[in-house]
Amino acid sequence: MLALTGLVALGVFVVMIWFAVRYRRGSRADRSNPPVNNRVLELGWIFAPLAVFIAIFVWAAVVYAGFYRGDPAAMTIYVVGKQWMWSVEHANGRREIDELHLPLGQPVRLVLSSEDVIHSFFVPAFRIKQDAVPGRYTGIRFTPTKAGGYGLHCAEYCGTDHARMGGRVFVMAPAAFARWLEQGNPSPTLAAQGFEVFRRKGCSGCHAANSAVHAPELNGIFGRTVHLADGRTVRADEAYLRDSMLLPKRDVVAGYEPIMPSFQGQLDEGEIAALISYLKSTTGKGS
Ligand code: HEC
Ligand SMILES: [Cu+2]
């Protein structure tokens, strides 16, 4: 891109300066019979840039689509924005604030949410920027390709300390990352925390296999295709599972009564992430 735009700028300036000198007032240039029409030249300057711009568009669109494409090999990390910090939760239960450690060369997918207002997760060096929106999940996928420390910012004005909301992303060699992940981490895995929430909040009362209530079996739910009472089919991804807990009336599973209560306001973002991680673990698909 730099070479291309540099070349065009150079061409424009060379011709501009040359014309300015040659046709300056008082110069002896030949001004008789100036050409008024040159079809080849006109077609050229219409279609050459058009082709170049379309090629750049396709290139950019492929990169952009890659941010949102599913990738079974990607490691899922939950990121919650709140006034005014980023809180991060890894699958093994390790948490960090205003820092994000990543293994080199490993595809990662961030699942973003917000506790209050809209924030935007921005790592300029990675060219990634994704809004964290209250009430829903957003996600972005990328692969860190270079070890080092990089600036992390909030790119959506979110109140008094918006400018200070940020931190650093550290990309480490996989072995160093694995050590870091285990280091000083007394907490159980996210999935284990989710299992605990599942019992404590009474989900298991309805969803356990031996329950008297007619509720769907949730083992292996993640990634499954779900048929809904209104005829739609959806894929059970993070956003679907989240909505199933907070807005159960919206996507009622075919063959069941809409008796599940909403857990809106009763689960914080950490508990929701833990529950989803637990439901995923029953599929055997890891984090
Ligand atoms: C009162 C019983 C009850 C409780 C408590 C309950 N659920 Fe449900 N749940 C249901 C029923 C019935 C359905 C199916 C109808 C529907 O989709 O609303 C369902 C649907 C779901 C679905 C969608 C399942 C699918 O196959 O697509 C998920 C996910 C879910 N529940 C998770 C939970 C979680 C997590 C909790 C605890 C925070 C919980 N439920 C608590 C009864 C319950
Ligand atoms: Cu913010």
Side-chain angles (χ1 to χ4, degrees):
M1 287 287 283
L2 197 65
L4 187 74
T5 50
L7 206 70
V8 170
L10 191 73
V12 168
F13 273 86
V14 164
V15 172
M16 189 174 82
I17 291 167
W18 187 62
F19 279 6
V21 172
R22 185 168 153 87
Y23 295 103
R24 73 189 185 279
R25 185 146 71 152
S27 77
R28 296 240 193 100
D30 175 13
R31 290 181 171 81
S32 62
N33 299 322
V36 290
N37 201 335
N38 186 333
R39 179 141 307 150
V40 173
L41 192 65
E42 284 178 20
L43 289 177
W45 79 46
I46 291 171
F47 288 102
L50 187 68
V52 169
F53 287 141
I54 287 179
I56 293 175
F57 168 77
V58 170
W59 179 16
V62 167
V63 171
Y64 184 81
F67 288 145
Y68 303 104
R69 206 178 34 234
D71 179 355
M75 176 173 100
T76 304
I77 301 174
Y78 291 88
V79 178
V80 182
K82 46 189 137 183
Q83 287 166 327
W84 286 276
M85 60 175 179
W86 293 108
S87 116
V88 173
E89 199 149 14
H90 293 267
N92 79 335
R94 170 123 201 200
R95 290 160 196 266
E96 41 185 341
I97 301 283
D98 287 340
E99 286 191 353
L100 171 60
H101 288 74
L102 297 173
L104 184 66
Q106 156 77 46
V108 291
R109 199 163 76 87
L110 304 181
V111 175
L112 294 143
S113 57
S114 166
E115 294 269 8
D116 35 54
V117 299
I118 302 178
H119 301 279
S120 183
F121 189 90
F122 181 31
V123 186
F126 294 3
R127 310 293 191 272
I128 63 161
K129 188 194 265 174
Q130 175 61 55
D131 277 9
V133 183
R136 59 172 283 199
Y137 272 154
T138 52
I140 190 156
R141 189 195 68 119
F142 57 93
T143 305
T145 52
K146 208 170 154 190
Y150 305 93
L152 160 65
H153 307 274
C154 177
E156 183 68 55
Y157 179 66
C158 58
T160 315
D161 276 343
H162 161 70
R164 260 178 281 186
M165 178 166 171
R168 286 191 82 65
V169 178
F170 298 99
V171 178
M172 316 162 79
F177 175 77
R179 269 198 305 281
W180 173 86
L181 203 58
E182 290 313 322
Q183 206 178 71
N185 178 31
S187 36
T189 65
L190 204 52
Q193 294 173 36
F195 181 60
E196 191 271 320
V197 178
F198 196 74
R199 312 199 70 152
R200 179 158 48 82
K201 294 286 178 179
C203 318
S204 52
C206 291
H207 286 287
N210 56 358
S211 161
V213 180
H214 180 54
E217 169 68 61
L218 295 181
N219 281 343
I221 172 89
F222 189 76
R224 203 189 276 164
T225 303
V226 181
H227 298 273
L228 301 178
D230 60 8
R232 284 179 299 138
T233 48
V234 293
R235 209 179 73 83
D237 56 6
E238 283 101 354
Y240 170 77
L241 295 179
R242 178 199 175 88
D243 287 349
S244 292
M245 302 173 205
L246 304 183
L247 307 161
K249 300 276 180 293
R250 210 183 70 177
D251 300 325
V252 176
V253 184
Y256 294 92
E257 292 301 315
I259 51 164
M260 176 167 160
S262 165
F263 284 83
Q264 188 93 57
Q266 297 179 41
L267 298 169
D268 63 31
E269 289 299 340
E271 289 171 325
I272 296 171
L275 279 169
I276 292 175
S277 185
Y278 161 64
L279 292 176
K280 277 182 170 183
S281 72
T282 62
T283 319
K285 281 192 185 151
S287 63

